[in-house]
Amino acid sequence: MKRGVLPLNALRAFESTARLGQMTLAADELGVTHGAVSRQVRSLEDVLGVALFEGPRNHLTLTPAGRELHPDLTRAFDLIDSAVTRITEPDRQTLDVSCLGTFSMRWLIPRLFDFHDTHPAIEVRLTTDDMPVDFRRQRLDAAVRVGTGPWPGAVVTPLFDEFVGPVLSPKIAPPDAAPGASFTAISGLPRLHTRTRLAAWPDWCASEGAPPGSGEGRTYEHFYFMLEAATAGLGVAIAPEVLVRDDVAAGRLVAPFGFVASGMRYVALSPEGSGGRERPFITWLADRAKAEDALARELAAATGA
């Protein structure tokens, strides 16, 4: 088909529906009605002479032709968006970055001034999320996640190997809870938990040969709340070293047993075939992580991990 007769509105309606999975969501994104999207998709199928979706209206799935067309079309529209942004806002870029909430507050945001100093024309717009990333459906330039992978549909840049261990406020730490102490030094203190990692205490106890305990204590909905509770002296929490690094350095928390590898890793993710607009931010993240990781490993060794 010649470029001059391409049905761009219909192609946009199909791309949005394929990426978001529902015509209702596509209509919201495009600012039109559900019926308008449906008509555009049907007209595109008529023009192309192939079916692009199949199944009931409330559960559409892509046909083989639709699956073949969709990724190239998404890349094409992404390139158009990037080109328009470059000429309309030549001195300003906005990166949409999805990040784990506690990592954002306790590590990333306190360090973002450094990125802004070196890249003043790039604005980082953060959203917090810990769900799996789907760059086909989410308008994101980058994401930070923790886990073991795999990370489908993403270019993966490793940041930190995760190390975890018990932390508590020095206000409630017994005198014998010094580096290298026996676990019995704090065994009588309340254990703090978070719903996002209910196995944190059993996993750590199993890895260190510590008594498993009863599991009693306080449970918090979010990781950040649990760490705030630990800082306030309400009990002992199992925490990733990277999330309490600044608190330990400032003396707000102590880690008498050091930190051990959890088997998980923090990674920066970016879309495949993105064009590279996120690379300055990803490179900065990786460089900052590498510099601090060496310090974290020294701390882990010094505290007996």
Side-chain angles (χ1 to χ4, degrees):
M1 180 177 294
K2 293 183 178 181
R3 183 176 299 181
V5 295
L6 286 173
L8 291 179
N9 287 339
L11 289 168
R12 175 71 82 178
F14 162 73
E15 188 278 332
S16 185
T17 302
R19 174 167 41 82
L20 299 174
Q22 296 181 29
M23 286 188 177
T24 301
L25 296 177
D28 290 342
E29 180 178 77
L30 299 175
V32 298
T33 65
H34 178 281
V37 172
S38 179
R39 287 191 297 273
Q40 290 283 4
V41 171
R42 284 201 305 270
S43 71
L44 180 62
E45 291 176 324
D46 291 341
V47 169
L48 299 180
V50 295
L52 299 172
F53 291 104
E54 57 189 359
R57 294 177 59 183
N58 61 347
H59 190 64
L60 292 173
T61 58
L62 289 167
T63 64
R67 288 195 297 272
E68 185 173 350
L69 178 61
H70 172 225
D72 287 341
L73 203 55
T74 296
R75 282 191 288 271
F77 281 122
D78 285 343
L79 288 172
I80 292 172
D81 289 343
S82 297
V84 171
T85 300
R86 284 197 302 271
I87 64 170
T88 56
E89 300 180 62
D91 299 323
R92 166 69 50 185
Q93 293 185 51
T94 299
L95 295 179
D96 288 305
V97 178
S98 170
C99 192
L100 304 159
T102 307
F103 184 83
S104 290
M105 290 181 279
R106 287 186 166 255
W107 191 89
L108 180 55
I109 290 175
R111 290 159 175 79
L112 265 182
F113 72 91
D114 178 58
F115 178 77
H116 291 150
D117 282 349
T118 54
H119 300 84
I122 302 177
E123 176 188 354
V124 177
R125 187 161 53 196
L126 286 175
T127 58
T128 59
D129 193 357
D130 60 0
M131 298 299 289
V133 180
D134 187 347
F135 287 112
R136 296 170 302 174
R137 297 192 177 193
Q138 297 167 283
R139 289 294 191 181
L140 295 172
D141 296 295
V144 176
R145 292 292 187 269
V146 62
T148 57
W151 312 98
V155 177
V156 181
T157 301
L159 298 178
F160 304 99
D161 288 332
E162 186 183 69
F163 294 83
V164 300
V167 295
L168 67 160
S169 168
K171 294 182 292 188
I172 65 168
D176 55 347
S182 165
F183 181 73
T184 56
I186 61 168
S187 59
L189 296 174
R191 295 185 182 184
L192 306 180
H193 310 270
T194 176
R195 295 191 187 281
T196 55
R197 288 203 192 181
L198 289 174
W201 270 106
D203 288 349
W204 183 85
C205 289
S207 70
E208 295 300 287
S214 64
E216 295 179 357
R218 300 179 177 92
T219 300
Y220 295 87
E221 193 70 26
H222 299 293
F223 219 113
Y224 182 80
F225 298 159
M226 181 191 71
L227 295 183
E228 287 296 295
T231 305
L234 299 182
V236 189
I238 298 293
E241 184 277 333
V242 67
L243 299 185
V244 295
R245 183 174 296 171
D246 294 344
D247 299 282
V248 172
R252 292 187 292 269
L253 291 171
V254 294
F257 311 104
F259 301 92
V260 296
S262 71
M264 295 196 290
R265 173 180 286 184
Y266 286 82
V267 296
L269 307 174
S270 54
E272 294 177 339
S274 66
R277 66 192 306 268
E278 77 289 344
R279 290 318 304 172
F281 179 70
I282 296 290
T283 300
W284 173 81
L285 271 178
D287 289 345
R288 187 80 193 225
K290 182 178 179 181
E292 294 196 18
D293 193 47
L295 181 62
R297 290 178 184 274
E298 289 179 12
L299 176 62
T303 53

